[in-house]
């Protein structure tokens, strides 16, 4: 058994203990500031990551990063579920104590421009369109539900809950609960 920070105990099978032990050793060799990065993990452009103290990451997470400069900022004590995919070619900032469920997608990048006078040509293959980036920010103490998508330009305030299967493309005020497509269903006041 492994005791968690909250005093609860996880019961792992023998094979799961071996896998977790391997992941823990590899974490301390490759990202010593992190708590545990479960394997396999795919990180393209590792030099672009800063922070991540006490980071816990599930299996099959994928990071597509610029690689030559710092573009992904991860706060303290964050947890990313299995198959989280983050694209950071310009700037993705994730605050402290952020909990991201499995199968979430977070990006600061679009294949092409789809607003204004200088739009991309839809006849061009998407992989040949110019990459357009916009800073993406997730505040402190945010919970992102399963299958959520956070796209370029999103700015999520502190204390928000992003519901499962939601899509966020704009600024979300602090302490909001979001569902569907940027739909705020509740905001918490100071007198909780």
């Amino acid at each position: 058994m492994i005791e968690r920070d909250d005093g609860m105990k996880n019961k792992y099978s023998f094979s799961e203990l071996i896998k977790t032990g391997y992941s823990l050793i590899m974490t301390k060799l490759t990202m010593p500031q992190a708590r545990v990065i479960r394997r396999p993990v795919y990180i393209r452009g590792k030099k672009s990551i800063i922070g991540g103290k006490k980071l816990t990451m599930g299996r099959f997470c994928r990071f597509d990063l610029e690689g030559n400069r710092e573009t992904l900022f991860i706060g303290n004590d964050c947890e990313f579920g299995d198959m989280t995919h983050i694209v950071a070619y310009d700037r993705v900032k994730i605050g402290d104590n952020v909990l991201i469920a499995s199968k979430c997608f977070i990006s600061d990048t679009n294949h092409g421009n789809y607003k204004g006078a200088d739009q991309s040509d839809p006849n061009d293959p998407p992989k040949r369109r110019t990459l357009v980036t916009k800073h993406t920010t997730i505040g402190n103490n945010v919970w992102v539900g399963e299958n959520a998508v956070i796209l370029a330009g999103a700015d999520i305030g502190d204390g928000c809950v992003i519901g499962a299967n939601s899509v966020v493309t704009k600024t979300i005020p602090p302490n909001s609960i979001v569902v569907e497509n940027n739909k705020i269903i509740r905001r918490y006041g100071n007198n909780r």
Side-chain angles (χ1 to χ4, degrees):
M1 279 193 269
I2 295 177
E3 191 159 338
R4 301 182 331 195
D5 288 344
D6 59 8
M8 303 282 293
K9 294 184 180 187
N10 287 331
K11 295 180 181 177
Y12 290 106
S13 67
F14 180 73
S15 64
E16 195 62 31
L17 278 173
I18 297 297
K19 289 178 193 174
T20 302
Y22 171 75
S23 292
L24 185 58
I25 291 167
M26 293 304 295
T27 299
K28 296 310 170 191
L29 291 173
T30 59
M31 286 184 78
Q33 75 277 20
R35 182 177 289 124
V36 65
I37 310 267
R38 290 182 176 81
R39 304 298 198 241
V41 61
Y42 305 96
I43 301 176
R44 197 173 301 152
K46 183 179 179 284
K47 291 180 182 177
S48 291
I49 301 173
I50 65 167
K53 184 177 180 185
K54 294 172 48 175
L55 172 65
T56 300
M57 215 161 68
R59 291 183 173 83
F60 301 104
C61 289
R62 176 179 162 191
F63 294 173
D64 293 306
L65 311 173
E66 197 271 345
N68 293 315
R69 59 190 175 85
E70 298 169 342
T71 61
L72 176 58
F73 304 82
I74 302 173
N76 297 327
D77 206 18
C78 293
E79 294 188 33
F80 300 169
D82 295 340
M83 294 184 262
T84 295
H85 183 184
I86 299 175
V87 177
Y89 285 115
D90 188 25
R91 184 166 194 243
V92 170
K93 183 178 181 192
I94 299 171
D96 296 334
N97 306 304
V98 173
L99 178 61
I100 300 174
S102 297
K103 298 180 233 162
C104 293
F105 178 68
I106 301 164
S107 179
D108 68 351
T109 306
N110 288 314
H111 288 269
N113 181 27
Y114 303 101
K115 292 181 181 178
D118 191 28
Q119 293 187 32
S120 298
D121 185 345
N123 296 313
D124 289 341
K127 67 181 180 180
R128 292 201 181 119
R129 296 177 194 165
T130 302
L131 292 179
V132 178
T133 61
K134 210 169 178 188
H135 291 182
T136 301
T137 304
I138 299 173
N140 299 317
N141 304 313
V142 172
W143 175 24
V144 179
E146 187 116 358
N147 293 316
V149 176
I150 300 170
L151 295 176
D155 185 0
I156 299 170
D158 293 346
C160 286
V161 175
I162 308 301
N165 300 308
S166 295
V167 177
V168 179
T169 61
K170 64 180 190 176
T171 298
I172 304 297
N175 306 317
S176 298
I177 297 176
V178 176
V179 297
E180 298 172 4
N181 187 6
N182 299 309
K183 182 177 179 183
I184 298 170
I185 60 168
R186 183 170 180 186
R187 292 204 49 209
Y188 292 97
N190 292 332
N191 55 353
R192 293 179 202 150

